Amino acid sequence: SIRSGTSEKTSSGDLTIGSPNAGDVASSISGAITLSTGEGGSTSGNSGGITLSTGLSSSNAGGITLTVGSSSGDGGAVSINGGVSTGGVGGNVALVGGQATSTGNKNGGDIKLTSGESSKTSSGKIELVTADGADDTPAPTPGGVSGLIMLSTGKATDGNSGAVLIA
């Protein structure tokens, strides 16, 4: 366990994990940081999970930001992938806005997908794509259909429910 110091009066200490800058040689690469858990037991053990979370707050909770550094070449990608399964269902990926539970008529958190802008040419695209259904070979595999794309809004308890706008 690695922890920063505690304080009974003011803020607790920061904790920074990082690799140092690369050297001055043109092809130098700064060190990578890997967070991983070990494999589960050989017959039925689960591997451990990784949780990134901020603490509770009586004011504003801290955020979590994943950012790729700037580059004079291509920008780095951010990928979030559900788990691969060889004997069950593949892992889901869920993006869920924060829930507002106060009594002060506050909205829940938004989810916004925005493509990258370009100062010289076109902005990036946003694709919603389902994977192909399973192939029907080898027999007697029945094959499968591709997944559904569904756009829907929630139920309203006061006024109209939200609209789906395609412009």
Side-chain angles (χ1 to χ4, degrees), residues 102-137:
S102 70
T103 57
N105 293 329
K106 303 293 183 182
N107 295 334
D110 296 335
I111 295 177
K112 182 178 182 179
L113 300 176
T114 305
S115 66
E117 65 180 270
S118 171
S119 63
K120 302 292 183 194
T121 62
S122 304
S123 65
K125 60 186 170 186
I126 296 176
E127 296 183 8
L128 294 176
V129 179
T130 64
D132 294 340
D135 194 354
D136 59 358
T137 57

Side-chain angles (χ1 to χ4, degrees), residues 58-81:
S58 60
S59 182
N60 295 322
I64 296 175
T65 303
L66 299 175
T67 303
V68 176
S70 297
S71 170
S72 60
D74 292 340
V78 175
S79 298
I80 301 173
N81 301 309

Side-chain angles (χ1 to χ4, degrees), residues 145-163:
V145 298
S146 63
L148 170 73
I149 294 179
M150 183 170 82
L151 298 175
S152 64
T153 65
K155 177 178 69 173
T157 58
D158 183 20
N160 298 328
S161 63

Side-chain angles (χ1 to χ4, degrees), residues 16-80:
T16 301
I17 299 173
S19 65
N21 293 338
D24 290 334
V25 178
S27 60
S28 296
I29 300 172
S30 67
I33 296 175
T34 302
L35 296 176
S36 64
T37 65
E39 295 179 3
S42 61
T43 57
S44 64
N46 297 333
S47 64
I50 295 177
T51 301
L52 297 175
S53 64
T54 63
L56 298 174
S57 172
S58 60
S59 182
N60 295 322
I64 296 175
T65 303
L66 299 175
T67 303
V68 176
S70 297
S71 170
S72 60
D74 292 340
V78 175
S79 298
I80 301 173

